[in-house]
Amino acid sequence: MDTKEDIIGFLKGDRHRHEEHEERIANLEERVLDHETRRDEDSNSVQLLRRKLDLLVRTGAMLMASNADCSRIMRNMKRCEAYLGLPEEYIHIHLGYNIIMVNLSDKTHSFSKYQRVDSHSVEFTVISKISKLLWAAIREDMSLNRYEEELEALKHVHKQYSPWMIALCAGFACGGFCVQFGCDWPAFFYASIPAILGFRLKMYLSHLHWNGYVGIAISAFVATLLCWLTTFISLNPTVSAALPAFLHSDTPYHPLMACTLFIVPGVPLINFVTDMVSDYVQVGITRAIITLMIIAAMSFGIVFAIQVCGIDNFVKDLSMTPHNTFLDYAIAAAISAMGFATIYNTPRRIMPVLALTGIIAVCTRNFVNLGPSNGNIGLDQGIIIGSFVGSAVASLIATKSQHIHHIPHQIIAIPSVIPMIPGVMMYRSLFGFIQMDGVIGELTFAFNWAIKASLTILFIALGVAIPNIFVRRLIQPKRKEKLLRLVKERHEKHHDMVDLSEIDDRHL
């Protein structure tokens, strides 16, 4: 029989074992709670990471949809990547014309995000605002919620100009082109009025969701037909005698070469060459093919209208050598630069800069291009060299102006050189191929214009790109140093730099 001391000892031991058991249960509960906490933290980290990748790819897709060149898209995505705290060494970005792809991966983790780009339209206001938004996000320590709201608002960016105002400006821009080809000022209006109506028709067909190429062909046909009707004002003696002298034009056929140039895709043309030079070959080739399709649709509408009107070989026989004064060139260049800028929804405040830069670019081009051989004042170096020098001067002005006016280089440079795009050369070439009847010299004629147009476009784009590339290389270290300093301050404050090693693979 157990003694009293044995019973007391047994009870004490049992109580001690019970306390140890309770302690083990408490430790187990603590480990489970800690495991659940880590799992929740990992889940939140993954969700946050995916949200950041989504914001990055949406930023790039919006720039591509606005027809920014690939170099600019990549620079802005790198800036966005820094703001979001994504490690640069693990980020992989692929730019496609219709899709943007981003991958974040190391040896053990991989996260990917894709975004389709369904529509493309030139929106300089969006390009400018995204650039400003990214710098503001870094400088002002912007929250992700606010950045997302600001980015989403750019999908519904306010149009700077009404549809009829855009049509009017685009029409007058075509009139400015006509003056560059050597027409007089009455012919300026005879080119502008059909272009206004043709452009408005193009906008209306787009609103009805017609096929874009069909809309271009119809608009080109209508504009050319209306322009042909204006020739009767000067060529028909009865009509000419009944109207005031200031409505008579000595160059009645010149408007036929300019009334459809509102269709020429100047921005994709320049971006195509810029992307190819910057080694974004796939996007560049896609833009080139789309540009060729637009030119082909425009040429089809023009050729069909010419056949209906019974005009014989105006494209081949009509001289394009201008003999106007440099004052005429300057006025026409300013009108064309500002006119095309409205199509691209360019901010109003930059219009005077575009007018001045356009004047300098075109007058420089004409001075280098024209000369004694064609009865003009100048260096007589030809249109290819002249276009390169003119666009390079415009690009140099834009590299300086972009810091003064806080606006991207592209928004200043491209509208300024648009008046130099050889739209007539392009559809003269296509017209030559379409109208071949087996006559000796027709193939030579078509290839001659095709080569001239291609080289002129190439040198315009190079003139825009090269000064910007060199200047950017000079200022890039300073801008990168500023960016890194701002980003470092932000991430040290919030400790929000993404670290893939902290994400547990078991919970992905």
Side-chain angles (χ1 to χ4, degrees):
M1 185 173 180
D2 295 330
T3 62
K4 181 178 179 181
E5 288 79 7
D6 293 333
I7 294 173
I8 293 173
F10 175 79
L11 291 175
K12 286 182 178 180
D14 184 62
R15 183 172 61 189
H16 179 69
R17 286 192 298 273
H18 179 70
E19 289 176 351
E20 288 180 347
H21 180 68
E22 287 184 340
E23 184 177 353
R24 285 197 299 272
I25 292 175
N27 290 335
L28 181 61
E29 288 177 346
E30 185 178 348
R31 287 199 301 272
V32 169
L33 181 62
D34 183 60
H35 177 75
E36 290 178 347
T37 301
R38 288 200 308 272
R39 184 182 63 189
D40 291 340
E41 289 177 352
D42 287 337
S43 177
N44 290 336
S45 297
V46 171
Q47 290 178 8
L48 179 61
L49 175 57
R50 286 175 175 159
R51 185 186 181 192
K52 288 183 175 183
L53 290 176
D54 180 67
L55 290 173
L56 176 61
V57 77
R58 282 162 60 188
T59 302
M62 194 170 293
L63 286 165
M64 183 64 77
S66 301
N67 265 280
D69 63 89
C70 288
S71 295
R72 172 162 294 280
I73 295 172
M74 188 62 75
R75 285 199 306 275
N76 278 274
M77 290 187 73
K78 291 289 185 182
R79 201 174 298 158
C80 182
E81 163 195 313
Y83 156 69
L84 295 170
L86 300 172
E88 182 181 5
E89 63 272 20
Y90 297 140
I91 282 284
H92 313 280
I93 300 173
H94 174 75
L95 300 181
Y97 188 73
N98 290 316
I99 193 167
I100 305 294
M101 295 181 282
V102 174
N103 173 262
L104 175 65
S105 60
D106 61 6
K107 294 181 179 179
T108 56
H109 306 83
S110 183
F111 300 87
S112 297
K113 180 67 181 178
Y114 308 89
Q115 178 78 43
R116 272 196 61 83
V117 184
D118 294 318
S119 62
H120 297 80
S121 60
V122 184
E123 281 285 351
F124 280 167
T125 296
V126 172
I127 295 173
S128 176
K129 285 184 177 293
I130 287 179
S131 180
K132 291 180 180 178
L133 173 61
L134 287 168
W135 279 111
I138 297 169
R139 188 168 48 247
E140 299 173 13
D141 196 16
M142 195 177 288
S143 67
L144 292 182
N145 288 336
R146 185 184 164 196
Y147 178 80
E148 187 172 15
E149 290 173 1
E150 296 277 354
L151 191 67
E152 194 67 23
L154 293 180
K155 291 183 179 179
H156 313 285
V157 67
H158 173 68
K159 295 292 183 181
Q160 304 278 334
Y161 316 95
S162 67
W164 271 110
M165 186 175 182
I166 295 173
L168 284 169
C169 292
F172 287 135
C174 291
F177 263 115
C178 194
V179 174
Q180 298 294 333
F181 303 150
C183 81
D184 51 25
W185 285 103
F188 167 89
F189 293 100
Y190 296 147
S192 298
I193 294 171
I196 291 168
L197 298 175
F199 189 85
R200 194 67 187 90
L201 175 62
K202 178 177 175 290
M203 295 175 74
Y204 179 70
L205 294 177
S206 177
H207 178 71
L208 295 178
H209 304 290
W210 281 44
N211 179 275
Y213 301 118
V214 173
I216 287 170
I218 293 174
S219 303
F221 172 79
V222 170
T224 305
L225 191 64
L226 292 174
C227 197
W228 172 72
L229 293 175
T230 65
T231 62
F232 288 97
I233 295 175
S234 299
L235 297 179
N236 189 295
T238 305
V239 177
S240 181
L243 295 175
F246 67 84
L247 292 177
H248 176 80
S249 172
D250 294 325
T251 55
Y253 281 115
H254 278 71
L256 285 164
M257 295 197 300
C259 65
T260 58
L261 293 183
F262 60 83
I263 298 171
V264 174
V267 173
L269 269 174
I270 294 174
N271 282 345
F272 139 62
V273 179
T274 303
D275 288 344
M276 296 290 282
V277 172
S278 302
D279 207 24
Y280 296 99
V281 177
Q282 292 179 336
V283 179
I285 290 175
T286 304
R287 282 176 164 153
I289 293 172
I290 290 172
T291 298
L292 184 61
M293 291 289 290
I294 292 172
I295 299 298
M298 181 185 75
S299 299
F300 177 82
I302 294 168
V303 170
F304 188 46
I306 288 171
Q307 294 297 326
V308 170
C309 299
I311 305 172
D312 291 331
N313 291 330
F314 89 95
V315 175
K316 294 183 181 179
D317 299 336
L318 197 62
S319 172
M320 278 177 45
T321 302
H323 292 88
N324 295 323
T325 66
F326 272 82
L327 178 60
D328 291 326
Y329 298 149
I331 295 172
I335 292 172
S336 293
M338 291 189 294
F340 279 105
T342 61
I343 301 176
Y344 310 143
N345 199 28
T346 305
R348 293 175 185 266
R349 65 184 178 86
I350 209 68
M351 286 298 181
V353 178
L354 297 182
L356 181 60
T357 310
I359 289 171
I360 294 172
V362 169
C363 289
T364 302
R365 186 275 308 267
N366 288 347
F367 181 73
V368 176
N369 170 28
L370 304 174
S373 66
N374 44 52
N376 285 281
I377 299 173
L379 301 180
D380 216 354
Q381 296 299 308
I383 190 167
I384 296 173
I385 300 299
S387 298
F388 174 76
V389 175
S391 59
V393 170
S395 183
L396 287 171
I397 294 172
T399 54
K400 181 65 177 177
S401 300
Q402 66 177 338
H403 303 299
I404 298 173
H405 301 284
H406 304 290
I407 202 161
H409 173 273
Q410 181 185 26
I411 297 177
I412 300 174
I414 291 184
S416 302
V417 303
I418 288 294
M420 298 191 295
I421 294 291
V424 173
M425 289 184 180
M426 289 185 288
Y427 77 67
R428 272 190 171 185
S429 173
L430 287 170
F431 185 85
F433 285 116
I434 293 170
Q435 290 291 94
M436 281 186 186
D437 295 322
V439 178
I440 296 175
E442 284 184 326
L443 185 62
T444 303
F445 169 86
F447 269 110
N448 176 53
W449 286 112
I451 292 170
K452 280 186 177 180
S454 301
L455 288 176
T456 303
I457 293 167
L458 173 64
F459 276 82
I460 288 174
L462 290 175
V464 171
I466 289 174
N468 186 39
I469 291 171
F470 280 108
V471 172
R472 193 167 66 238
R473 284 184 176 179
L474 291 174
I475 65 173
Q476 192 71 15
K478 294 182 180 179
R479 293 175 70 85
K480 188 172 183 179
E481 183 181 342
K482 176 184 176 182
L483 176 65
L484 291 174
R485 177 175 53 80
L486 292 172
V487 167
K488 184 178 179 181
E489 291 175 357
R490 182 181 188 277
H491 294 313
E492 283 181 350
K493 179 179 179 181
H494 295 284
H495 305 287
D496 60 351
M497 192 71 183
V498 172
D499 187 354
L500 291 177
S501 63
E502 294 180 356
I503 298 177
D504 191 340
D505 295 345
R506 292 171 297 173
H507 306 299
L508 295 181

